[in-house]
Amino acid sequence: MDLLAHHAARLLRTGGILAVLTHTDSAHGELRDPTGDIVAAAQNADLLYLQHIVCLLAPIRGGGLTPLPADPATVGDRSPAWFRHRRVHADLLVFAQPHNHHTPAGGDAQ
C-alpha cells in the first residue's frame, strides 16, 4: 500500500486529487477495515487527507437501512452468527497533493 501511495503522490500535480474507494471485508474469519492503513500510507507519502465520505450501498426504507441479500460465498453456515454482516456502505477517501513532488537525483518534477 505504501508503494502505491508514493507512486500516486509522484504522479499527481500540485492540487491534484486522489480518490480511493474501499470497504470492509470479512476474510479469514475476521472483519478487516483498510481505511486506517490507506490513510497512513497516503499521509506517509505526503498527501493531504481531505475527506472521508460514506457511500451507502443499501437503500433507506422506513427510516432505516435495508441491507441487500448476503453473498452466500462470503457468509455461509460455517461463520459464527456474530460474524455475519452485510455490506451497507463503502468508504470514499479523498487526498490532495499540496505541493510539487520532486523526484531524487535530477529527475523531473511532476
Side-chain angles (χ1 to χ4, degrees), residues 1 9-12 24 29 33 50 55 70 81 87 92 94 104:
M1 203 171 309
R10 283 194 308 274
L11 292 174
L12 287 170
T24 57
D33 182 359
L50 295 179
C55 306
R87 189 172 296 137
L92 181 63
V94 184

Side-chain angles (χ1 to χ4, degrees), residues 4-5 17 31 33 35 39 43 48 56 58 62 68 72 74 83 95 100 102-103 105 107 110:
L4 182 60
I17 298 294
L31 186 63
D33 182 359
T35 302
V39 171
Q43 288 179 328
L48 180 63
L56 287 181
L68 301 173
T74 60
F83 188 67
F95 304 91
N100 281 331
H102 300 285
T103 56
Q110 294 287 326

Side-chain angles (χ1 to χ4, degrees), residues 24-56:
T24 57
D25 192 21
S26 55
H28 307 294
E30 64 183 52
L31 186 63
R32 168 114 170 83
D33 182 359
T35 302
D37 292 339
I38 293 169
V39 171
Q43 288 179 328
N44 288 339
D46 210 20
L47 293 173
L48 180 63
Y49 180 38
L50 295 179
Q51 190 73 41
H52 176 177
I53 301 166
V54 176
C55 306
L56 287 181

